[in-house]
């Protein structure tokens, strides 16, 4: 089996972060989302991976490289324009050949991994196996209608009147039969080759297509709220580990990771949280659900349920909650004249009135 990871999306809902980095590289629990995907693929025994990239290809290559750091053999396929998920399968056909493969959307987090789904596919080998989960608003997703045995009867992309509450999430298992389906379909009304249309073709042709309901935590990380929720969930799975320096005047409660080279002085740490290598925390309080990237600085600060990217600093500000602070950004206390903000495009600020 091979793997195809799709990492060409723009990520408009995650601006301003995605002005300067691909959405697949935004970190949750101090690890890029794309790396979480790669680790899940490695666990199921797949070695050969192709990543479909767009305009931010060089940034993704700089992080992932040839994949050897993750125990994988990674190559890259350039998609010149976002022409749909089935188009990604089409341009990857030479890489995929006649092999079975897993297609994984590089901005999706599946916290419990995909090993159970991979075993189910290997045992049954349907033409396609879709990962499904029940959602409150199925009209916002691709929706699958399945029978009592889990066979997919029909698919619809963002239907106004959904036939079920089972959304198709960002992992698909395919045999080579999908290549016939991709060649048979045309662009949708939005000008893209839709993977739902390709799978529907297989259904109508009589091929066996099944749905595997995913019981674990899944999130399509399309918004800041999604990132913070994923961060909380993944931090809950951390094991306690102190490799940096914590002085005697500091206290630690719950699972806390302090990476090598990080320094904590006169501070209170309440896990689950992670402090990245090279960061300095002093006279501060870090609450649960917080991830500090590398080389961050916190002085006289208080923060909970938040993500700070590499090089961010917070000085003299307490009570931060549910915050995302970008790379090399500075948050500091101002003067007594009132609130002062310097904010870029598509930024959101919430202040106490």
């Amino acid at each position: 089996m091979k793997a195809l990871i799709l990492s060409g999306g723009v990520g408009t809902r995650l601006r301003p972060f995605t002005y300067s980095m691909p959405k697949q590289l935004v970190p949750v629990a101090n690890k890029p989302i794309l790396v979480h995907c790669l680790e899940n693929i490695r666990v199921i025994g797949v070695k050969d991976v192709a990543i479909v990239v767009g305009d931010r290809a060089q940034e993704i290559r700089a992080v992932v490289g040839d994949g050897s750091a993750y125990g994988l053999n990674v190559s890259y396929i350039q998609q010149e324009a976002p022409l749909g998920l089935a188009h990604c399968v089409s341009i990857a056909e030479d890489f995929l050949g006649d092999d079975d493969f897993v297609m994984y959307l590089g901005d999706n987090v599946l916290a419990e991994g995909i090993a159970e789904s991979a075993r189910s596919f290997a045992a049954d080998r349907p033409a396609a196996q879709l990962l499904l989960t029940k959602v409150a608003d199925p009209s916002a997703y691709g929706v699958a209608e399945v029978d009592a045995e889990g066979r997919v009867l029909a698919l619809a992309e963002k239907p106004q009147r959904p036939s079920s509450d089972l959304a198709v999430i960002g992992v698909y298992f395919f045999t080579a039969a999908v290549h016939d389906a991709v060649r048979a379909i045309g662009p949708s009304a939005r000008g893209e080759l839709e993977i739902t249309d390709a799978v529907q073709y297989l259904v109508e042709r009589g091929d066996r297509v099944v749905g595997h309901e995913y019981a674990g935590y899944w999130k399509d990380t399309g918004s800041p709220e999604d990132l913070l929720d994923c961060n909380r969930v993944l931090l809950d799975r951390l094991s306690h580990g102190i490799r940096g320096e914590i002085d005697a005047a500091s206290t630690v409660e719950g699972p806390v990771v302090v990476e090598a080279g990080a320094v904590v002085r006169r501070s209170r740490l309440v896990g689950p949280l992670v402090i990245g290598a090279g960061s300095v925390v002093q006279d501060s309080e870090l609450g649960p659900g917080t991830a500090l990237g590398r080389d961050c600085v916190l002085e006289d600060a208080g923060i909970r349920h938040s993500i700070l990217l590499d090089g961010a600093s917070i000085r003299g500000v307490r009570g931060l909650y549910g915050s995302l602070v970008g790379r090399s950004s500075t948050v500091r206390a101002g003067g007594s004249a009132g609130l002062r903000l310097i904010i870029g495009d598509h930024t959101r600020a919430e202040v106490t009135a």
Side-chain angles (χ1 to χ4, degrees):
M1 181 182 286
K2 293 177 178 175
L4 184 66
I5 301 181
L6 311 188
S7 295
V10 176
T12 54
R13 289 185 295 156
L14 284 175
R15 289 175 178 166
F17 301 100
T18 50
Y19 281 130
S20 58
M21 65 192 310
K23 63 177 179 177
Q24 298 84 7
L25 296 185
V26 176
V28 288
N30 270 18
K31 189 181 298 181
I33 296 165
L34 180 57
V35 172
H36 289 286
C37 301
L38 291 170
E39 291 178 344
N40 282 348
I41 286 168
R42 182 188 62 210
V43 167
I44 67 172
V46 170
K47 295 293 185 183
D48 295 323
V49 179
I51 302 178
V52 177
V53 292
D55 294 341
R56 315 299 284 273
Q58 289 305 114
E59 294 162 85
I60 291 172
R61 284 176 182 266
V63 170
V64 177
D66 64 2
S68 58
Y70 309 102
L72 302 169
N73 305 314
V74 173
S75 56
Y76 298 87
I77 299 171
Q78 187 74 41
Q79 187 182 35
E80 299 303 326
L83 297 176
L85 305 189
H87 180 260
C88 294
V89 175
S90 176
I91 63 176
E93 188 171 357
D94 287 345
F95 164 79
L96 297 167
D98 293 328
D99 292 314
D100 297 348
F101 67 98
V102 55
M103 184 171 79
Y104 202 129
L105 274 59
D107 58 358
N108 276 227
V109 170
L110 290 88
E112 278 70 42
I114 58 172
E116 182 182 349
S117 301
R119 285 192 292 268
S120 175
F121 175 75
D124 194 27
R125 274 200 87 238
Q129 177 178 287
L130 314 180
L131 266 64
L132 309 174
T133 194
K134 291 182 179 180
V135 295
D137 181 17
S139 64
Y141 301 90
V143 174
E145 182 181 349
V146 301
D147 65 15
E149 285 72 44
R151 185 159 183 163
V152 174
L153 304 176
L155 289 170
E157 185 67 29
K158 298 181 180 179
Q160 291 186 347
R161 293 187 176 87
S163 58
S164 83
D165 61 353
L166 290 172
V168 181
I169 63 177
V171 177
Y172 310 74
F173 291 87
F174 291 115
T175 67
V178 73
H179 297 301
D180 290 338
V182 170
R183 286 190 287 267
I185 64 173
S188 66
R190 59 179 185 169
E192 296 186 6
L193 291 178
E194 310 283 0
I195 198 66
T196 47
D197 290 345
V199 176
Q200 182 65 31
Y201 175 89
L202 294 174
V203 171
E204 293 174 358
R205 194 173 73 172
D207 291 15
R208 181 169 171 77
V209 177
V210 301
H212 187 268
E213 191 166 346
Y214 188 71
Y217 174 89
W218 162 78
K219 185 71 73 173
D220 175 0
T221 55
S223 71
E225 289 75 19
D226 294 333
L227 286 175
L228 290 167
D229 191 59
C230 286
N231 190 62
R232 174 188 57 79
V233 168
L234 294 176
L235 286 175
D236 279 338
R237 288 156 171 76
L238 282 180
S239 298
H240 184 84
I242 306 297
R243 297 186 298 278
E245 175 189 338
I246 300 181
D247 70 4
S250 298
T251 61
V252 177
E253 305 169 33
V256 170
V257 173
V258 180
E259 295 181 356
V263 177
V264 179
R265 302 187 184 99
R266 302 179 302 277
S267 296
R268 181 180 181 225
L269 310 180
V270 181
L273 64 85
V274 57
I275 299 173
S279 291
V280 177
V281 177
Q282 55 188 27
D283 302 309
S284 296
E285 182 170 339
L286 275 67
T290 298
L292 271 62
R294 299 173 64 92
D295 302 316
C296 294
V297 175
L298 268 67
E299 295 179 357
D300 189 24
I303 188 166
R304 297 180 294 143
H305 296 290
S306 297
I307 299 173
L308 274 66
L309 276 63
D310 294 352
S313 65
I314 301 177
R315 291 179 168 90
V317 178
R318 293 182 176 267
L320 290 176
Y321 179 92
S323 299
L324 289 170
V325 182
R327 293 180 294 185
S328 301
S329 296
T330 298
V331 179
R332 62 183 177 84
S336 59
L339 299 173
R340 181 172 184 259
L341 300 174
I342 301 173
I343 293 178
D345 294 349
H346 299 278
T347 300
R348 186 181 71 194
E350 297 180 12
V351 298
T352 303

